[in-house]
């Protein structure tokens, strides 16, 4: 009994001094990769995750982050996650859809009328259920979702204020079936093109315009090749914070809880950072001579884009899943 009392006393002192941790974190290294620069949405998020997991694990968990596509493009990163060659990555939502069709529900045109609607959805139980489905489909698990700005429309010809102003314009889109269908609903034939070719194509007049958030306009200095910008709220940039499902399944509960906490804090911080940077980048575009327009008939654009939704229900998990997301938006 005396020895037992001494042991209890020693344990109490150790807890009081902080030498015994309530959580069990095994020593490990997390390899994380992004095809984007450190100063991007992706880098901001991954750096915050690194800060939190290393601090709260007492240094037992270390993160090594590879930026700028040094380990490959975004789809290559997904394949590396599936094989557990890396354990964490961030990417554009469209690049996950090829591996996880259910992720396409978040890329439907006008699914998020405002960025605040996206915040509600990604913090909801509906998103958690979709993340589980994505994990089964792709072998990668979204811990949470990043939010950027809307992909606004630019062109070099004239202001766009009505859908009719789109006629005759050659607009680049990513080679996505959904984006192609969306722009066709606006009454034009879009031009699918790899992102790496876009600036030169704009410069040479091969295409007249494209769509991207303000931050991308600024970072790419699109004011050198584009004069007119229209705020179209059709497609909100979103991107998953992914982990390897093969790796994740082997983690203990404490490590999973730490990752969940780090992901939520990092993503919420990225949301606020993104909103602030969107305003800064918009002013940069204006200061460099870009002319900003707003739509006079956005209800018409919204109705046209939503008319394609039924064509994609089966591809994004069914109408019931879409309805669940819409219900959260409308709450």
């Amino acid at each position: 009994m005396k020895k037992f009392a001494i042991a209890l006393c020693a344990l109490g002192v150790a807890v009081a001094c902080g030498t015994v941790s309530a959580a069990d974190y095994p020593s490990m290294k997390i390899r994380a990769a992004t095809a984007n620069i450190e100063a991007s949405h992706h880098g901001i998020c991954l750096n915050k995750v690194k800060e939190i997991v290393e601090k709260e694990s007492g240094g037992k968990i270390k993160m090594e982050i590879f930026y700028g596509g040094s380990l490959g493009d975004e789809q290559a990163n997904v394949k590396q996650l599936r094989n557990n060659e890396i354990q964490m990555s961030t990417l554009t939502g469209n690049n996950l859809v090829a591996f996880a069709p259910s992720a396409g529900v978040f890329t439907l045109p006008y699914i998020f009328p405002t960025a605040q609607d996206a915040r509600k959805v990604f913090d909801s139980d509906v998103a958690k259920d979709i993340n589980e489905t994505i994990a089964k489909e792709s072998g990668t698990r979204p811990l949470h979702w990043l939010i950027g700005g809307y992909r606004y429309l630019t062109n070099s010809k004239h202001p766009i204020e009505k859908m009719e102003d789109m006629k005759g314009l050659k607009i680049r889109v990513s080679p996505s079936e959904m984006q192609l269908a969306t722009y066709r609903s606006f009454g034009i034939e879009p031009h699918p093109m790899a992102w790496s070719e876009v600036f030169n194509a704009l410069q040479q007049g091969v295409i007249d315009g494209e769509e991207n958030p303000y931050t991308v306009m600024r970072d790419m200095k699109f004011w050198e090749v584009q004069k007119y910008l229209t705020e179209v709220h059709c497609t909100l940039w979103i991107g998953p914070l992914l982990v390897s499902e093969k790796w994740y399944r082997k983690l203990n509960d404490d490590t999973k809880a730490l990752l969940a906490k780090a992901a939520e804090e990092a993503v919420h911080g990225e949301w606020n950072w993104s909103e602030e940077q969107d305003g800064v980048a918009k002013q940069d575009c204006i200061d460099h001579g870009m002319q900003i327009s707003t739509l006079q008939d956005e209800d018409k654009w919204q109705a046209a884009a939503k008319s394609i939704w039924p064509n994609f229900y089966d591809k994004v998990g069914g109408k019931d899943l879409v309805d669940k997301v819409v219900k959260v938006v409308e709450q």
Side-chain angles (χ1 to χ4, degrees):
M1 284 297 294
K2 184 176 180 181
K3 289 182 179 180
F4 181 68
I6 292 172
L8 283 178
C9 181
L11 178 61
V13 170
V15 171
C17 293
T19 59
V20 172
S21 172
D24 175 22
Y25 302 124
S27 296
M28 69 173 70
K29 177 182 281 188
I30 298 173
R31 286 164 51 88
T34 172
N36 301 273
I37 63 174
E38 186 172 0
S40 65
H41 302 271
H42 310 263
I44 292 294
C45 180
L46 289 174
N47 281 339
K48 189 62 177 178
V49 172
K50 172 182 169 72
E51 175 189 324
I52 294 169
V53 298
E54 290 188 348
K55 179 180 178 181
E56 300 225 357
S57 69
K60 285 186 174 181
I61 302 176
K62 300 286 188 183
M63 270 186 68
E64 183 178 13
I65 306 175
F66 298 88
Y67 304 101
S70 59
L71 295 187
D73 62 20
E74 292 190 343
Q75 293 208 357
N77 290 160
V78 175
K79 294 174 184 177
Q80 290 159 354
L81 287 169
R82 288 157 63 101
N83 295 327
N84 196 22
E85 295 168 19
I86 61 174
Q87 290 72 52
M88 188 176 294
S89 186
T90 60
L91 48 133
T92 300
N94 281 336
N95 280 329
L96 180 59
V97 174
F99 303 91
S102 294
V105 71
F106 298 137
T107 66
L108 286 167
Y110 283 102
I111 189 71
F112 298 127
T114 70
Q116 188 59 42
D117 293 323
R119 291 188 181 208
K120 285 195 301 183
V121 169
F122 289 136
D123 272 342
S124 72
D125 289 338
V126 169
K128 291 176 182 176
D129 290 342
I130 294 173
N131 291 343
E132 290 289 339
T133 301
I134 291 171
K136 294 174 184 176
E137 291 175 335
S138 69
T140 70
R141 173 178 292 270
L143 294 180
H144 220 305
W145 289 79
L146 286 68
I147 300 173
Y150 280 96
R151 298 177 64 92
Y152 292 140
L153 183 64
T154 70
N155 82 96
S156 58
K157 299 297 185 182
H158 55 249
I160 296 173
E161 297 180 346
K162 304 183 300 295
M163 192 179 293
E164 290 76 14
D165 297 331
M166 293 279 282
K167 289 181 180 178
L169 292 178
K170 295 174 290 186
I171 304 296
R172 177 267 174 182
V173 299
S174 65
S176 153
E177 185 181 356
M178 192 179 294
Q179 278 201 299
L180 290 168
T182 299
Y183 272 81
R184 286 170 183 150
S185 79
F186 297 153
I188 68 166
E189 184 59 35
H191 290 250
M193 181 181 293
W195 171 240
S196 59
E197 301 172 12
V198 172
F199 192 92
N200 286 340
L202 291 169
Q203 199 169 39
Q204 296 166 11
V206 176
I207 53 175
D208 301 317
E210 56 78 55
E211 55 160 31
N212 260 301
Y214 276 122
T215 51
V216 175
M217 313 283 188
R218 174 195 61 193
D219 295 345
M220 295 295 295
K221 298 183 179 179
F222 269 153
W223 49 71
E224 296 179 359
V225 290
Q226 299 280 268
K227 172 71 174 177
Y228 305 100
L229 186 151
T230 305
E231 294 186 339
V232 181
H233 301 93
C234 177
T235 307
L236 183 67
W237 185 94
I238 53 99
L241 169 60
L242 293 174
V243 292
S244 165
E245 179 67 0
K246 183 184 294 186
W247 170 77
Y248 181 84
R249 285 199 306 264
K250 296 178 181 178
L251 300 177
N252 65 26
D253 290 342
D254 288 338
T255 305
K256 288 178 180 178
L258 176 56
L259 288 173
K261 175 184 177 182
E264 183 171 355
E265 289 187 23
V267 163
H268 286 181
E270 183 273 337
W271 292 353
N272 295 333
W273 177 87
S274 174
E275 184 176 0
E276 177 186 331
Q277 285 299 306
D278 208 44
V280 172
K282 177 178 181 177
Q283 190 59 51
D284 283 342
C285 291
I286 293 171
D287 291 344
H288 284 87
M290 294 189 81
Q291 181 178 318
I292 312 296
S293 300
T294 55
L295 291 177
Q296 299 175 6
D297 61 346
E298 189 151 18
D299 56 339
K300 184 177 179 180
W301 294 64
Q302 185 172 11
K306 285 190 172 183
S307 72
I308 75 165
W309 282 17
N311 300 333
F312 292 91
Y313 285 151
D314 289 343
K315 297 177 181 178
V316 302
K319 184 177 183 299
D320 287 347
L321 183 63
V322 176
D323 288 344
K324 288 178 181 178
V325 174
V326 171
K327 184 177 180 180
V328 175
V329 167
E330 293 177 346
Q331 287 175 349

